[in-house]
Amino acid sequence: MMDSGVPLCHTCGEQVGFDANGQVFVACHECNFPICKACFDFEISEGRRVCLRCGIPYQGKRTDHSDSEVSGNRSTMATQLSNSQDIGLHARHVSTVSTVDSDLVDESGNPIWKNRVESWKEKDKKRKKKKASPKTENEQPPIPQEQEMEEFLCRPSDAAEPLSVVIPIPKSRLSPYRTVVILRLIILGLFFHYRVTHPVDSAYGLWMTSIICEIWFAFSWVLDQFPKWSPINRDTFIDRLSARYEREGEPSQLAAVDFFVSTVDPLKEPPLITANTVLSILAVDYPVDKVSCYVSDDGAAMLTFESLVETADFARKWVPFCKKYAIEPRAPEFYFSQKIDYLKDKVQPSFVKERRAMKRDYEEFKVRINALVAKAQKTPDEGWTMQDGTPWPGNNSRDHPGMIQVFLGSSGALDIEGNILPRLVYVSREKRPGYQHHKKAGAENALVRVSAVLTNAPFILNLDCDHYVNNSKAVREAMCFLMDPQVGQDLCYVQFPQRFDGIDRSDRYANRNTVFFDVNMKGLDGIQGPVYVGTGCVFNRQALYGYSPPSMPNLPRSSSSCCCFPSKKPAKDSSEVYKDAKREALDAAIFNLREIDNYDEYERSMLISQMSFEKTFGLSSVFIESTLMENGGVPDSVNPSTLIKEAIHVISCGYEEKTEWGKEIGWIYGSVTEDILTGFKMQCRGWRSIYCMPLRPAFKGSAPINLSDRLAQVLRWALGSVEIFLSRHCPLWYGFAGGRLKWLQRMAYINTIVYPFTSLPLIAYCSLPAICLLTGKFIIPTLSNLASALFLGLFLSIIATSVLEMRWSGVSIEEIWRNEQFWVIGGVSAHLFAVFQGFLKMLAGIDTNFTVTAKAADDGEFGELYLVKWTTLLIPPTTLIVVNLVGVVAGFSDALNGGYESWGPLIGKVFFAFWVIFHLYPFLKGLMGRQNRTPTIVVLWSVLLASVFSLVWVKINPFVSRADSSSISQTCISIDC
């Protein structure tokens, strides 16, 4: 039981304890920040001798931590990361998905492993007493505490200052925005009160349809608007990061980072683009021994392997050139294609000569890559053969063994100037028939395990193969958050915005997604953090392992994985208390495991087995031990010669069976948008995320800029959202028991999974103008003064909300309008198909694919923009355009026949129809292409559907003057035939 009056340590959650005088231990006498002696010693050993709360240096405390210092240099690949990775593991939090077996206690009720640990401790103490030896002549005497304090106080003050700062939106911009949002909500309430209490009896069906659609639109607006209630900006201080962790004359203390690059089909994802991404990673402005790049080839293509061979060879020239002249960006294709003055800020006389030589080398590199691509267009009948004459193991992409090749980073792989290079590792996981491989999410999880075995960096940065590093200091930007003791403690990832190259200036199809990345994500950053968007994200590896944040106790298994609401039990029963006690004791066993030097392999394997880590992480003792190392690094006990063999083992196709991979740890399975699902699971455990927007974009990628490819991309995203909605991880009911996901954050996640369903009311609402024009009816009764004021107030509030969003976010009115247009275009096409395809796939098991076939494109700038491709996604928007145009023509014709009184009601209907046409105008331009030609099949389908609507109109309301049917019948009777 906890002694009363003894505070808990802010870092590890244990009691602070007492000092030698029997008083409560106090590290900082200025602010009395609660920190235990063990955490205090760890901070001192890491060189951080300032209070975590007030920033004042510790004084009057002994910092003798010679027992925790690590001597000697590690030369093998398995141990060349951090030398202090095993210190401070008493703060370890056990995975919420790990289980404790009930047979781990002896007859007296004490845990068996606890007795074993105690015996190991006794043996360890005896051995240390016997091996006490005198100091060697070469050993340096310890530095006096006073001298250490003087040296620390003489260091730059930047080392003690925060690495980042929150810049709130000025109240002069945010307060009016919030006021307008509240006013708009009130106006919406009054508007719906009027709409519901004033039905249109002559068109009751149309009126009811419009009411349902408008209520759904209002609900969607609330889900989208209120998570943006507290937007913030952030700024980082890279110079302070260097002052704290890169002191002159000392080894760099920056944390290591493992880069993940994923690719599948080199014929669809050009190897040259992947090579540029890899080269930009290898040349990043970060210590080379802290960078490792893992390329996942999920298609097991020999073309990808051979292109990486060429890339590794070219990197020996490219990396030193980039670092010597500090060029940006460090992807050669995009650097040499810049239309800027490349001599700006370059003062070295040799730069022009070396740049010309490097450009020539890159052109030769491109020729070699293109030759490989041309050779790979036709696969030989006998399959591909490697240079040594052996068959390529991946000739069958669905049935092949796991493959790993380390190109750079090993002994002897130096650049042309004799300096070491970052690691470059090729990975292709094993695939066999009958196993579920889970596409990209499965490939990412394989990279997590491989990197943990080979390098085990504490942070992971994943990129798509077409997203290169545009800002060489991007990793340092992320470290300003992740390595800050105050900010990074509960941080699961740092998300960067996506920026794109090659998009037309007008951004016809809203490819840049500026409204989402510059408005919505800033708003989420002020709550619990932005959502994970699949690329350009730096992860805390411990968060991927399913652990809870260090500042929070672990959730019970039922709380983290149950899809129901929290239990109403007022207190825990005795069995739950006993389970918590066992979990805490299990934590202690893991911490003590690091302090024991003389246990054998059998005892260690028994302990790990009893902790049931295999049920969570799989049957790899090397990987399991790496998960216990918060600060990264490969365990010292591992034999470096066996690392590759172990890495092959963890990417076998059956490794994840009967484990928690894809369920509670790693990238989560169950949706093609695994990014949203993975970030959602982390934040449900209580983790926070941060949005980082440096002035120079961190990463840049390519986006599909023609209409068909853009709709196919949106279809895939929407389908993933529908899959999450129909899964157990739906934010509508998942994760309530823990109470760690904030309500505004939950609203944002709900919005990400329900937005495809807006397609149903949207397509109905876009059809209403044509129906009203064809039938002569309308969804709104004759307006009174009050109703006119409500409609005017609603329109003005919509405009004011957009204008004020532009003020605090910095987006332009054109970007907001393009986003609004494509919301309609995607809603009536891709989102609609995603809803039906999702229900067919999840409920009936039918997987329907809407394929896209390409046709010839024009050469020149933005030639791809004018590609015309056939896809069924084009039919619904085209039909809506044709139907509304037919309705406008019919409405004007009807008004001409009806006389002067018919023009008044026509104005509202025509305005409604033109609202639809203007929103679909970019779609119409894309449909016409550059030559203003439309695929014949699209025209035929659209004309057919429009004709059906026209015939219905003729049947309901023929284009003749209205007359009473009784008078017509009397006239017919009087006629003598």
Side-chain angles (χ1 to χ4, degrees), residues 235-256:
D235 196 9
T236 56
F237 305 100
I238 299 179
D239 52 344
R240 297 180 185 177
L241 180 76
S242 299
R244 182 177 299 185
Y245 295 107
E246 291 183 300
R247 296 163 184 161
E248 186 176 357
E250 300 180 10
S252 174
Q253 298 297 318
L254 290 174

Side-chain angles (χ1 to χ4, degrees), residues 511-570:
N511 281 281
R512 292 190 177 92
N513 284 329
T514 310
V515 174
F516 174 76
F517 286 113
D518 290 13
V519 180
N520 296 55
M521 296 287 267
K522 281 185 180 179
L524 292 177
D525 198 16
I527 309 172
Q528 197 171 345
V531 298
Y532 168 43
V533 296
T535 185
C537 186
V538 186
F539 284 96
N540 181 344
R541 187 183 286 268
Q542 299 298 311
L544 282 172
Y545 288 157
Y547 297 126
S548 293
S551 64
M552 295 185 180
N554 283 302
L555 288 170
R557 183 182 178 87
S558 59
S559 298
S560 61
S561 59
C562 183
C563 304
C564 56
F565 288 89
S567 174
K568 297 183 179 180
K569 293 183 179 180

Side-chain angles (χ1 to χ4, degrees), residues 643-703:
L643 287 178
I644 294 296
K645 181 179 179 181
E646 191 69 24
I648 292 291
H649 168 58
V650 298
I651 60 173
S652 59
C653 57
Y655 183 85
E656 294 184 355
E657 287 195 345
K658 299 181 179 179
T659 67
E660 297 293 343
W661 284 101
K663 302 173 185 175
E664 299 293 337
I665 63 175
W667 270 257
I668 306 302
Y669 304 149
S671 171
V672 295
T673 53
E674 70 287 332
D675 46 3
I676 298 294
L677 200 53
T678 301
F680 173 65
K681 291 277 287 187
M682 292 180 183
Q683 295 189 331
C684 280
R685 298 188 185 102
W687 290 95
R688 296 181 303 107
S689 59
I690 276 180
Y691 197 48
C692 182
M693 296 182 64
L695 293 178
R696 180 179 180 86
F699 311 100
K700 279 191 175 183
S702 58

Side-chain angles (χ1 to χ4, degrees), residues 685-976:
R685 298 188 185 102
W687 290 95
R688 296 181 303 107
S689 59
I690 276 180
Y691 197 48
C692 182
M693 296 182 64
L695 293 178
R696 180 179 180 86
F699 311 100
K700 279 191 175 183
S702 58
I705 64 173
N706 68 74
L707 178 60
S708 302
D709 288 346
R710 174 66 166 147
L711 289 177
Q713 181 188 57
V714 174
L715 170 64
R716 186 173 67 254
W717 293 344
L719 177 60
S721 296
V722 175
E723 289 174 341
I724 297 175
F725 177 82
L726 298 175
S727 71
R728 72 184 187 93
H729 292 117
C730 178
L732 286 170
W733 52 73
Y734 181 85
F736 280 93
R740 296 181 177 182
L741 191 67
K742 296 184 178 180
W743 278 102
L744 289 180
Q745 191 80 13
R746 186 177 296 277
M747 288 176 62
Y749 276 110
I750 292 174
N751 188 44
T752 62
I753 58 105
V754 302
Y755 77 88
F757 296 95
T758 305
S759 60
L760 299 175
L762 184 61
I763 200 168
Y765 210 70
C766 290
S767 303
L768 286 177
I771 297 175
C772 292
L773 288 167
L774 293 173
T775 60
K777 301 176 180 179
F778 201 38
I779 58 175
I780 300 174
T782 302
L783 295 180
S784 62
N785 292 335
L786 176 61
S788 301
L790 285 176
F791 276 94
L792 181 61
L794 182 60
F795 282 115
L796 291 178
S797 65
I798 293 174
I799 296 173
T801 304
S802 300
V803 170
L804 293 174
E805 275 189 359
M806 288 189 294
R807 285 192 65 201
W808 64 255
S809 65
V811 300
S812 65
I813 188 171
E814 182 182 13
E815 290 169 332
I816 290 182
W817 173 238
R818 291 299 186 200
N819 182 77
E820 182 77 12
Q821 285 180 312
F822 200 79
W823 174 73
V824 176
I825 295 171
V828 299
S829 58
H831 298 174
L832 180 67
F833 280 78
V835 171
F836 289 106
Q837 185 177 354
F839 275 98
L840 288 175
K841 182 178 180 180
M842 302 300 294
L843 302 181
I846 302 174
D847 193 1
T848 306
N849 293 318
F850 300 98
T851 58
V852 179
T853 57
K855 296 183 180 180
D858 297 329
D859 296 330
E861 187 179 11
F862 307 123
E864 186 186 353
L865 178 65
Y866 305 102
L867 276 173
V868 180
K869 302 179 181 180
W870 157 242
T871 170
T872 50
L873 298 174
L874 302 178
I875 295 177
T878 308
T879 304
L880 286 175
I881 292 176
V882 174
V883 167
N884 278 277
L885 288 175
V886 170
V888 170
V889 173
F892 276 103
S893 302
D894 196 12
L896 289 173
N897 280 342
Y900 178 77
E901 295 180 353
S902 302
W903 288 96
L906 178 66
I907 296 176
K909 302 174 187 178
V910 171
F911 173 80
F912 199 9
F914 275 110
W915 180 90
V916 177
I917 295 172
F918 286 154
H919 277 79
L920 295 176
Y921 178 68
F923 173 85
L924 184 61
K925 289 183 65 177
L927 203 63
M928 295 302 177
R930 176 172 285 174
Q931 294 83 13
N932 293 330
R933 297 179 61 184
T934 306
T936 305
I937 186 66
V938 175
V939 175
L940 292 178
W941 271 99
S942 303
V943 170
L944 176 62
L945 293 176
S947 301
V948 172
F949 274 94
S950 301
L951 290 174
V952 170
W953 166 70
V954 171
K955 180 67 176 177
I956 296 175
N957 189 10
F959 188 58
V960 293
S961 59
R962 296 186 179 89
D964 187 19
S965 58
S966 59
S967 61
I968 294 177
S969 60
Q970 291 295 331
T971 303
C972 294
I973 293 174
S974 62
I975 296 176
D976 187 4

Side-chain angles (χ1 to χ4, degrees), residues 127-136 139:
R127 181 185 59 80
K128 288 183 178 179
K129 290 181 180 179
K130 293 180 181 180
K131 294 184 64 176
S133 57
K135 296 180 180 179
T136 60
E139 186 175 356

